[in-house]
């Protein structure tokens, strides 16, 4: 009997290995990451607080800074060294990005992301890296540096590092940051910051190449920026010295804006133009504080117009140059965006949300986004809402974009469609914009070229599809065809709530959606995330048995999804029937039995055309 038992189990094994319903090989849950998808009772993450003092020198186009890094080891491990990101080395002459000199990435709508500095060579110089008054031994590996600790840092140990550095500011900085002459500075990826140490990979020193923007720890920031006296600042955080930085008039207008849903002009066009023409000798030092954020960025210019409004205590600010059009509407767009995302996915957690118009094609930091001026109103809204959508993914939900851009760009792109549909509700654009995802599927889901979502961003040949559009289509299909809107939204909201200010892994996301919806969705994630499976549902023929019409259906591709059938009757009436995913449990053919005395004269599979079905010709009978 033993032999027989072994043979049986082998047979079962081989059936299970080819079934689309076999379990995903996820890491086992435990006390750190629980089986429900929530952080477990022993969940931990590191904490890093920064005090940064930086000075912008516009004559030498240099930023000089010093910082105190306060690092708390919440891990159960003793750390012999730290890894620190020095991302300005993207622009060092010998960087991976410069050595490879890959062509820019083109996105639909004409946006181009060039991850290089367009020939600019720079890089950061670390002048000092000390702890306890002692210089630490350090080794640089491009955009990362490993810092040897004077003595191992035990669990619950704390270390304060004292770092000094400077770098030349690139005119164009890899699509993330840059400057326009001496008139506008948009500064991100700029100060040495800790690499994430987590329970899954330990240290995460994946190099910064351009794609895969970041994976960062949470903490509090205290930042002072010394800038030319005539500059206005927009930044992550709150200005702690407003009396010294803003005029009485600006402060009075800001007080009005704090209770206004309509934009209040803090700096008008005439004021910005007049101010920009004046000279202001000397410098001013801005003091900014931010709590519970994973990064800090800022922008500064003597030319800014400044509008502000409020929603639920969140100050919503837009800074733009007098030449920027159509930025008068940007504050309303930002207001609608913050309200929409807060009401749908979870409350915006910080005191202010700011967007700055400038040269960067679109970039996100906590409380601060960089967005260009775009002629077409719909495209302007899209980029603005997309960058603010990143406040939810990855600024609130702190996932790892160096590995999983689909959980960052992708989840964000999905929620952006809801935002655009809301802002443009009732217009042709608003009512159809999401359908462009199916068009993208036709262009990009090409056998042999397409790669699974799970591949790293730097390994993706078609990042626009794999990181942005395909995950947005995936979640749209999950919502509309598998879970229904209410269950889907409850599940995604719960994912945001559970992983707010934490570091989820893909398994935590899959398990949370399964936990909240009560549905085993391994089959869904397998097809969409781990493979390039394509969908081809078909009706093969019709038959009858007495009063029952038999609809012979087949699943001709590798992807499985539930099926919707539209029946057309001889009297001209139509009726839709939905078949759950279990229809494919026994294989790729299914006979739908329609018990009706009425004569069925035709059927259509996926009648609303919501699926990326690769052959729609076989979706109807008669053909
Ligand atoms: Zn993005």
């Amino acid at each position: 009997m033993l032999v027989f038992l072994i043979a049986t189990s082998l047979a079962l094994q081989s059936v299970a290995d080819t079934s689309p319903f076999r379990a995903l090989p996820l890491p086992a849950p435990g006390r750190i990451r629980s089986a429900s998808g929530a952080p477990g009772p022993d969940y931990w993450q590191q904490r890093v607080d920064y005090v940064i003092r930086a000075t912008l020198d516009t004559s030498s186009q240099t930023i000089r800074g010093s910082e105190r890094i306060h690092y708390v080891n919440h891990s159960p491990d003793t750390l012999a060294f730290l890894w620190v990101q020095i991302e300005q080395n993207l622009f060092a002459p010998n960087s991976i990005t410069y050595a490879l000199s890959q062509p820019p990435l083109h996105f639909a709508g004409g946006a181009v992301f060039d991850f290089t500095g367009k020939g600019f060579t720079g890089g950061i110089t670390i002048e000092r890296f000390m702890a306890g008054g002692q210089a630490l031994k350090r080794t640089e590996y491009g955009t990362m540096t490993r810092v040897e600790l004077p003595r191992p840092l035990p669990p619950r140990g704390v270390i304060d590092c004292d770092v000094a550095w400077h770098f030349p500011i690139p005119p164009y900085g890899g699509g993330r940051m840059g400057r326009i002459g001496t008139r506008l500075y948009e500064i991100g990826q700029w100060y040495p910051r800790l690499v994430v140490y987590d329970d899954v990979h330990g240290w995460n020193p994946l190099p910064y190449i351009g794609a895969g923007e970041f994976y960062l720890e949470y903490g509090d920031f205290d930042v002072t920026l010394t800038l030319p006296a005539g500059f206005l600042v927009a930044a992550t955080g709150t200005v702690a010295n407003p009396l010294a930085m803003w005029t009485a008039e600006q402060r009075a207008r800001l007080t009005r804006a704090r209770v206004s849903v309509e934009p209040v002009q803090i700096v008008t066009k005439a004021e910005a133009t007049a101010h920009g023409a004046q000279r202001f000798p000397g410098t001013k030092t801005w003091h900014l504080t931010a709590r519970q954020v994973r990064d800090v960025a800022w922008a500064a210019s003597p030319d800014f117009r400044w509008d502000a409004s409020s929603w639920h205590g969140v100050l919503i600010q837009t800074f733009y140059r007098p030449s920027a059009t159509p930025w008068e509407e940007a504050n309303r767009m930002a207001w609608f965006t913050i309200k929409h995302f807060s009401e749908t996915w979870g409350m915006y957690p910080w005191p202010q949300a700011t967007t700055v118009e400038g040269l960067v094609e679109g970039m996100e930091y906590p409380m601060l986004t960089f967005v260009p001026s775009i002629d077409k109103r719909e495209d302007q809204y899209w980029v603005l809402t997309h960058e603010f959508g990143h406040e939810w993914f990855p600024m609130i939900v702190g996932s790892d974009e160096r590995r999983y851009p689909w959980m960052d760009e992708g989840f964000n792109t999905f929620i952006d469609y809801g935002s655009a549909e809301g802002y443009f509700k009732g217009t042709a654009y608003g009512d159809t914009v999401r359908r462009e995802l199916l068009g993208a599927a036709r262009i990009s889901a090409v056998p042999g070229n397409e790669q699974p979502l799970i591949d790293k961003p730097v390994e993706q040949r078609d990042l626009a599809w794999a990181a942005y559009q395909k995950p947005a289509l995936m979640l749209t299909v999950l919502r509309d065809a598998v879970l229904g809107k209410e269950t889907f939204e409850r599940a995604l909201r719960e994912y945001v709530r559970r992983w707010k200010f934490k570091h989820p892994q893909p398994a935590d996301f899959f398990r949370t959606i399964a936990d909240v919806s009560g549905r085993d969705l391994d089959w869904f994630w397998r097809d969409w995330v781990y493979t390039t499976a394509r969908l081809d549902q078909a009706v093969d023929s019709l038959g009858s048995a007495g009063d029952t019409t038999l609809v012979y259906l087949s699943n001709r591709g590798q992807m499985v999804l539930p099926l919707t059938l539209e029946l057309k009757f001889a009297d001209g009436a139509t009726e839709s029937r939905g078949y759950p995913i279990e229809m494919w449990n026994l294989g790729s053919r299914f006979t739908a039995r329609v018990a009706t005395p009425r004569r069925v004269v035709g059927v259509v599979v996926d009648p609303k055309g919501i699926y990326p079905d690769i052959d729609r010709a076989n979706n109807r009978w008669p053909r």
Side-chain angles (χ1 to χ4, degrees):
M1 287 306 286
L2 189 62
V3 173
F4 175 76
L5 277 175
I6 289 169
T8 308
S9 78
L10 282 176
L12 284 172
Q13 177 98 46
S14 77
V15 169
D17 279 351
T18 56
S19 162
F21 298 103
R22 65 200 190 276
L24 276 183
L26 299 178
R31 291 185 56 83
I32 298 176
R33 296 169 189 273
S34 79
S36 69
D42 295 345
Y43 177 83
W44 57 266
Q45 69 189 34
Q46 308 295 65
R47 181 185 173 95
V48 199
D49 300 311
Y50 296 85
V51 178
I52 303 173
R53 308 269 171 260
T55 301
L56 166 67
D57 179 349
T58 56
S59 60
S60 66
Q61 299 287 17
T62 302
I63 294 177
R64 268 176 201 286
S66 65
E67 68 192 63
R68 195 197 72 208
I69 303 172
H70 181 74
Y71 187 79
V72 187
N73 181 15
H74 289 300
S75 85
D77 307 324
T78 296
L79 305 176
F81 48 82
L82 306 176
W83 278 97
V84 175
Q85 313 188 34
I86 41 175
E87 298 200 324
Q88 283 297 316
N89 275 353
L90 184 77
F91 313 109
N94 55 353
S95 78
I96 294 171
T97 300
Y98 277 8
L100 298 180
S101 188
Q102 287 171 316
L105 197 65
H106 290 261
F107 278 68
V112 177
F113 273 87
D114 187 339
F115 294 136
T116 73
K118 297 186 176 174
F120 173 86
T121 53
I124 194 166
T125 303
I126 305 286
E127 300 160 17
R128 178 172 83 229
F129 208 119
M130 301 176 76
Q134 185 183 340
L136 304 185
K137 188 171 171 311
R138 221 167 42 79
T139 316
E140 288 191 10
Y141 300 87
T143 56
M144 298 284 159
T145 180
R146 196 184 66 214
V147 181
E148 312 301 325
L149 294 177
R151 69 195 70 80
L153 187 66
R156 293 184 296 283
V158 175
I159 186 165
D160 286 285
C161 298
D162 164 30
V163 189
W165 44 267
H166 67 267
F167 66 86
I169 309 162
Y172 177 86
R176 313 274 171 241
M177 45 98 55
R179 61 178 168 83
I180 298 176
T182 55
R183 304 302 293 188
L184 175 66
Y185 294 84
E186 294 179 284
I187 305 299
Q189 329 272 130
W190 59 292
Y191 59 95
R193 53 191 181 177
L194 257 291
V195 167
V196 173
Y197 184 82
D198 64 26
D199 58 293
V200 179
H201 296 99
W203 288 109
N204 287 264
L206 293 182
Y208 177 50
I209 298 177
E213 289 147 348
F214 30 47
Y215 183 31
L216 296 164
E217 303 284 17
Y218 287 91
D220 297 344
F221 286 76
D222 182 301
V223 180
T224 58
L225 299 172
T226 299
L227 308 176
F231 279 41
L232 256 186
V233 165
T236 303
T238 305
V239 174
N241 57 343
L243 292 178
M245 295 299 106
W246 296 324
T247 67
E249 174 110 70
Q250 287 167 353
R251 282 180 276 121
R253 291 170 179 174
L254 207 48
T255 302
R256 285 214 311 282
R258 288 185 190 283
V259 290
S260 174
V261 296
E262 294 296 324
V264 173
Q265 296 188 55
I266 314 296
V267 175
T268 66
K269 183 173 189 174
E271 288 164 351
T273 307
H275 183 89
Q278 271 180 275
R279 296 210 153 271
F280 298 86
T283 61
K284 280 205 311 200
T285 297
W286 297 73
H287 183 198
L288 298 143
T289 57
R291 295 199 54 230
Q292 194 78 312
V293 288
R294 36 181 277 171
D295 202 1
V296 158
W298 52 279
S301 172
D303 300 318
F304 279 142
R305 294 180 66 177
W306 177 12
D307 297 339
S309 57
S310 279
W311 181 79
H312 266 248
V314 181
L315 185 70
I316 293 158
Q317 309 183 90
T318 41
F319 289 79
Y320 52 109
R321 291 168 294 166
S323 58
T325 50
W327 266 66
E328 278 88 357
E329 194 187 343
N331 198 274
R332 280 178 218 282
M333 291 177 170
W335 188 90
F336 184 91
T337 285
I338 297 298
K339 175 178 186 288
H340 170 83
F341 288 143
S342 290
E343 288 176 343
T344 317
W345 305 115
M347 187 64 193
Y348 183 85
W350 297 294
Q352 59 97 353
T354 296
T355 187
V356 176
E357 178 272 338
L359 75 153
V360 176
E361 288 274 4
M363 190 56 200
E364 66 279 11
Y365 296 98
M367 301 183 231
L368 181 71
T369 62
F370 299 152
V371 172
S373 167
I374 304 173
D375 285 340
K376 200 170 156 224
R377 190 167 162 251
E378 289 82 1
D379 293 346
Q380 180 71 76
Y381 187 80
W382 183 267
V383 178
L384 189 147
T385 209
H386 175 84
E387 303 313 337
F388 269 141
H390 279 303
E391 301 301 340
W392 279 262
F393 308 105
M395 303 310 165
I396 297 175
V397 180
S399 49
D400 173 1
E401 193 187 4
R402 290 272 156 96
R403 283 188 178 80
Y404 309 118
W406 56 278
M407 298 173 74
D408 173 308
E409 297 296 352
F411 290 6
N412 178 22
T413 301
F414 169 78
I415 68 172
D416 300 340
Y417 280 100
S419 172
E421 286 162 348
Y423 194 74
F424 293 100
K425 194 178 167 84
T427 68
Y429 173 81
D431 296 344
T432 59
V433 58
R434 197 183 290 264
R435 294 198 68 82
E436 71 193 21
L437 290 171
L438 292 172
R442 278 192 295 279
I443 295 164
S444 293
V446 176
N449 194 47
E450 193 187 12
Q451 295 165 273
L453 297 196
I454 201 72
D455 287 3
K456 289 194 192 83
V458 292
E459 297 164 7
Q460 293 285 356
R461 289 183 293 270
D462 188 351
L463 193 67
W465 171 243
Y468 296 74
Q469 295 159 310
K470 187 175 182 180
L473 179 60
M474 169 177 82
L475 295 184
T476 300
V477 168
L478 183 67
R479 181 189 70 179
D480 295 345
V482 182
L483 295 182
K485 188 165 187 278
E486 195 187 321
T487 300
F488 171 84
E489 290 191 350
R490 190 173 350 123
L492 189 58
R493 266 198 301 275
E494 179 64 5
Y495 169 70
V496 173
R497 195 191 66 78
R498 287 177 175 183
W499 291 96
K500 181 177 177 178
F501 306 139
K502 295 190 171 74
H503 298 314
Q505 293 285 316
D508 303 314
F509 171 71
F510 301 145
R511 287 180 170 130
T512 291
I513 303 299
D515 181 49
V516 178
S517 70
R519 299 281 299 274
D520 172 6
L521 296 168
D522 281 12
W523 56 273
F524 184 86
W525 306 123
R526 172 193 307 286
D527 285 353
W528 284 89
V529 177
Y530 293 93
T531 77
T532 55
R534 268 162 285 275
L535 180 77
D536 185 12
Q537 296 183 337
V539 50
D540 297 330
S541 62
L542 290 191
S544 65
D547 271 356
T548 300
T549 297
L550 303 176
V551 184
Y552 297 101
L553 301 164
S554 63
N555 194 48
R556 299 185 183 186
Q558 310 90 348
M559 177 180 277
V560 287
L561 279 174
L563 184 145
T564 301
L565 196 59
E566 187 180 76
L567 304 160
K568 291 183 180 172
F569 298 103
D571 60 8
T574 60
E575 180 189 324
S576 268
R577 294 195 178 194
Y579 293 88
I581 190 65
E582 287 80 1
M583 70 187 293
W584 307 120
N585 272 352
L586 297 179
S588 60
R589 290 176 189 282
F590 182 80
T591 304
R593 294 160 196 283
V594 182
T596 171
R598 298 155 88 189
R599 196 162 67 84
V600 176
V601 295
V603 301
V604 181
V605 170
D606 185 24
K608 289 186 183 159
I610 65 170
Y611 281 168
D613 190 313
I614 56 168
D615 182 2
R616 301 204 77 85
N618 61 26
N619 280 30
R620 50 181 63 242
W621 188 270
R623 299 258 194 267

